[in-house]
Amino acid sequence: MRRSIYLDYNATAPVRPEVIEAVTSALKQTGNPSSIHEYGRAARRLVEDARAEISSLVGSKPARVVFTSGGTEANNLVLKGSGRSRILVSSIEHPSVLQVHENAIQIPVDNQGNIELTALEELLAEDGENSLISVMMANNETGVLQPIDAIVKLAHDKGALVHCDAVQAAGKVAINCEELGIDFTTISSHKLGGPQGVGAMVLGKGLEIISQQLGGGQERRRRGGTENVSGIVGFGVAARLSLEGLPDMQVKSQARDDMEQKLLAAAPRALVFGAGTPRVPNTTTITMPGVPSDTQLMVLDLEGYAVSSGSACSSGKVQASHVLKAMGADDKAAGEAIRISTGWNSCPDDLDRFADAWIALFQRKGERPE
């Protein structure tokens, strides 16, 4: 029987068995973590243990971790609650950043997907002390890693604050928010092999946030609403396992690079976006010349390979990526790109088998040089 191969970890990672066990156990616990009786204190301990695990993953302090319903809410919380009214966002951000402020100023990127530091510096010359910069650590479509240390230095020199959406970086590269000096960091459980519907916003030293979720004093009055205890427990387990698994994740870059070389050897006109700059080790976005993305997705799905055309937050629509277009890709190239992403449960030969299927499809339908 053919084994289906899941290669869409950037959309959501399979839930880890240890997480399922921990969530199941937590669901059997009774108690609101805000209650002061024995049951409430037990629930509170579960939440605080998870908070410590998540702070370790991102290099922060437990008291600075604020639980949310996911990365989207965490991003919204920062962009609406930072206290800054001038918002600068990179042109390759996730929709949960790009769509929050209609008047946000976009920072351009180069053809590798790196933020243009000169353009950022020019933007910061005007009213830096009233500005919040939002730049993702790793792009969800290309995996390109931004120079966060340089961005933070430029921003702080002008009095600006920095928000870093680290949803796609957490668990794939080492993160130390405190050393980098990031003011607000956001992460999501289900990208790590935890449950969906749980995320966190991490505050920088000495900073606060204006709560957008009112009606309770939970999360030190930063985000009202009874904590999702079982989800948070699963998030904590996934964070711990992701931190422990960082060395294994780095090994995946070689398999990714080998796959890309194999695909490019078969289709020399194919483009791998961001190949000339640092990326997280699990992500490839590549064009198949002459074959639209939706055709690739359907054929590969029928053959047992789950991949995507970019962000999974567009109601299932297949459309030209704003990320690739911001990097200078034309409509044709952007419309022929798919994303392949591996993770904690990927097998060593998954990418090799996928490459064979991709090449076979290209040889049947692709556009080859005359």
Side-chain angles (χ1 to χ4, degrees), residues 205-220:
K205 186 177 181 180
L207 290 171
E208 270 305 336
I209 198 80
I210 302 168
S211 178
Q212 304 299 302
Q213 186 96 340
L214 305 177
Q218 294 87 356
E219 297 302 290
R220 294 179 170 84

Side-chain angles (χ1 to χ4, degrees), residues 332-349:
K332 182 177 186 297
E336 294 174 345
I338 63 168
R339 181 186 68 190
I340 306 103
S341 53
T342 58
W344 71 268
N345 200 33
S346 297
C347 295
D349 67 341

Side-chain angles (χ1 to χ4, degrees), residues 126-313:
E126 179 186 346
D127 202 13
E129 293 187 354
N130 194 37
S131 298
L132 171 73
I133 301 164
S134 183
V135 176
M136 58 190 359
M137 186 172 289
N139 185 261
N140 53 305
E141 297 190 26
T142 64
V144 168
L145 289 160
Q146 296 298 329
I148 298 300
D149 51 352
I151 292 167
V152 169
K153 185 178 187 310
L154 277 176
H156 287 179
D157 284 349
K158 298 296 184 181
L161 297 177
V162 176
H163 163 236
C164 186
D165 175 347
V167 165
Q168 293 292 347
K172 298 170 188 171
V173 294
I175 300 174
N176 193 309
C177 296
E178 192 149 322
E179 287 185 2
L180 287 168
I182 302 169
D183 300 299
F184 307 98
T185 306
T186 47
I187 60 173
S188 179
S189 163
H190 73 105
K191 309 298 186 180
L192 305 171
Q196 296 173 340
V198 188
M201 186 273 294
V202 184
L203 289 162
K205 186 177 181 180
L207 290 171
E208 270 305 336
I209 198 80
I210 302 168
S211 178
Q212 304 299 302
Q213 186 96 340
L214 305 177
Q218 294 87 356
E219 297 302 290
R220 294 179 170 84
R221 298 191 178 280
R222 295 160 175 162
R223 194 271 188 184
T226 301
E227 290 92 346
N228 174 5
V229 176
S230 60
I232 287 169
V233 167
F235 190 5
V237 172
R240 173 174 55 80
L241 294 173
S242 296
L243 184 59
E244 293 172 355
L246 276 177
D248 294 333
M249 181 60 72
Q250 301 316 305
V251 173
K252 295 186 185 298
S253 63
Q254 187 60 56
R256 187 268 313 274
D257 293 346
D258 291 345
M259 177 198 68
E260 291 177 357
Q261 290 175 13
K262 187 173 179 178
L263 299 184
L264 291 171
R269 293 174 58 193
L271 300 173
V272 176
F273 291 94
T277 196
R279 290 176 288 165
V280 288
N282 77 315
T283 304
T284 293
T285 291
I286 186 169
T287 63
M288 183 183 287
V291 185
S293 303
D294 55 354
T295 299
Q296 295 179 59
L297 297 183
M298 288 185 288
V299 173
L300 291 167
D301 182 40
L302 289 172
E303 295 183 3
Y305 299 92
V307 295
S308 74
S309 62
S311 174
C313 299

